[in-house]
Amino acid sequence: MITASGGSDADLVGRILRDGDELAFEILYERHAPAMFRFALRVVGGVPSDAEDVLQEAWLRGMERLGGFAWSSSLRTWFFGITLNTGRELLRRRSRSANPPSELSTGREGRAREGGFARIDLERVLVSLPDDWRLVLLLHDVEGYTHEEIAACLKIQPGTSRSRLSRARARIREILTTEPAKESTT
Amino acid sequence: MTHDDDLSPQERQLLDSLPGDLDPPDRVRERVREELLHRGVLRPASRKGWARTGPRVFPWAAAAAVLACVFLAGMIAGSRWAGPPVRTEVAASTVLGPKTVDGVRVQAAGSEYAAVIQALAEDPEVSREDLTAALATLRAAAGQMSEAPGLDPETVSLLRRLREQDLYPEERTGLL
């Protein structure tokens, strides 16, 4: 990725590895952190404080491992993978402690209505899905990964990915059909 | 992407309409940056203003050292073409100590450079390594110049003193 200011991702990574260049880090962060944060927020089920923790940890891990990045994918895809894994660890810890999320939020909560459902409804439905289903739907339907890529990421079979996606979609339809948007007055 | 989709176009549109970016709070960036600095993955930028718009301090300081040496060499060479020193230069040399014009010029150039180094040394964001490198460059150049033929003994002595300066940033004293 090349922008008018800062150069390509590869240039910036080179500057960080060679010089520990703080400015290069800041440019990379500004470029990728917003997408990673939105992704993290959806992975952890809409809890902003958890998403912040995931984002922070993902950046720390990513920067520590930067020298081993082989550029077989884009840097953003690689960062998304780290974000996903960090988010899953948090979900596992949360499920062990049996503390359900208490501060559901979707961040910038749009109210635009499309196709009969408000966007906010879809965000809320997404975070209400079981974690395993949500991750597959998020990766497949929102981020555009294939079932094979998802299987590799989540260490499951491609068939498992397909079945989880199917269930997630069915649940979403059920919820959105039976629970009309509450923002209809706006 | 595998499109074994049974998503309707309407559903696809709805999913595609989900926003992709969300600015995280600034505190996350600060925490990450501070931790990376602490771990040594990042090195502190020399100065905020420079860091955002220009190169790091080391190339700047090294360039200053080279320029100072070139300036110094130019003045020494120039003095040979300029003939006898003018009255003010002689007066200055009397006050400052060195008896020759070359010596006065070497001392003046060295003092200019020392002032730059001192300003850098007083900046907490300039690293010791950068300053040490800048000083090493100047000392190496001074050492080479002291070997040049035709210099008067006092100039050679000044250049050797410059070369042998055992200065480190924390001393924050003048070079000459």
Side-chain angles (χ1 to χ4, degrees), chain B:
Chain B
M1 182 170 172
T2 305
H3 282 287
D4 53 351
D5 261 7
D6 45 356
L7 287 176
S8 68
Q10 200 177 44
E11 290 169 334
R12 181 71 263 164
Q13 189 181 12
L14 184 59
L15 283 164
D16 288 344
S17 74
L18 287 171
D21 288 359
L22 179 65
D23 287 333
D26 287 343
R27 61 179 172 269
V28 180
R29 179 213 305 262
E30 283 310 302
R31 290 200 298 254
V32 171
R33 193 181 61 79
E34 285 171 16
E35 183 61 28
L36 291 173
L37 286 168
H38 177 71
R39 295 183 188 183
V41 176
L42 296 180
R43 291 178 215 152
S46 55
R47 287 183 184 177
K48 289 293 180 188
W50 296 359
R52 290 178 188 280
T53 58
R56 297 177 63 243
V57 69
F58 170 65
W60 186 90
V66 170
L67 281 174
C69 291
V70 169
F71 179 55
L72 191 151
M75 284 195 301
I76 290 173
S79 70
R80 302 227 161 72
W81 293 95
V86 296
R87 187 181 305 275
T88 52
E89 286 173 335
V90 173
S93 72
T94 303
V95 171
L96 293 171
K99 301 295 188 295
T100 67
V101 174
D102 283 352
V104 172
R105 290 172 191 267
V106 166
Q107 184 174 55
S111 296
E112 288 282 336
Y113 187 79
V116 172
I117 291 290
Q118 182 148 348
L120 289 172
E122 288 170 356
D123 185 337
E125 293 189 45
V126 175
S127 73
R128 175 194 170 96
E129 289 76 15
D130 290 345
L131 284 171
T132 303
L135 283 169
T137 305
L138 178 68
R139 288 165 59 191
Q144 287 190 349
M145 287 172 58
S146 70
E147 305 297 325
L151 291 176
D152 65 86
E154 189 171 31
T155 303
V156 171
S157 171
L158 279 169
L159 286 168
R160 284 180 178 164
R161 279 177 56 200
L162 191 60
R163 180 192 63 191
E164 289 161 11
Q165 284 285 335
D166 191 21
L167 271 180
Y168 287 95
E170 59 267 50
E171 295 182 39
R172 296 179 182 177
T173 57
L175 279 170
L176 294 172

Side-chain angles (χ1 to χ4, degrees), chain A residues 2 11 24-25 34 51 53 64 96 122 135 149 180 185:
Chain A
I2 297 176
D11 289 340
F25 157 74
D53 289 346
E64 290 271 13
R96 278 200 296 272
L122 182 56
L135 291 183
E149 289 169 333
T185 56

Side-chain angles (χ1 to χ4, degrees), chain A residues 58-80:
Chain A
W59 271 96
L60 292 176
R61 290 183 188 182
M63 295 292 289
E64 290 271 13
R65 299 173 190 169
L66 213 47
F69 178 48
W71 298 97
S72 54
S73 67
S74 72
L75 186 69
R76 176 167 292 196
T77 299
W78 185 68
F79 268 131
F80 265 53

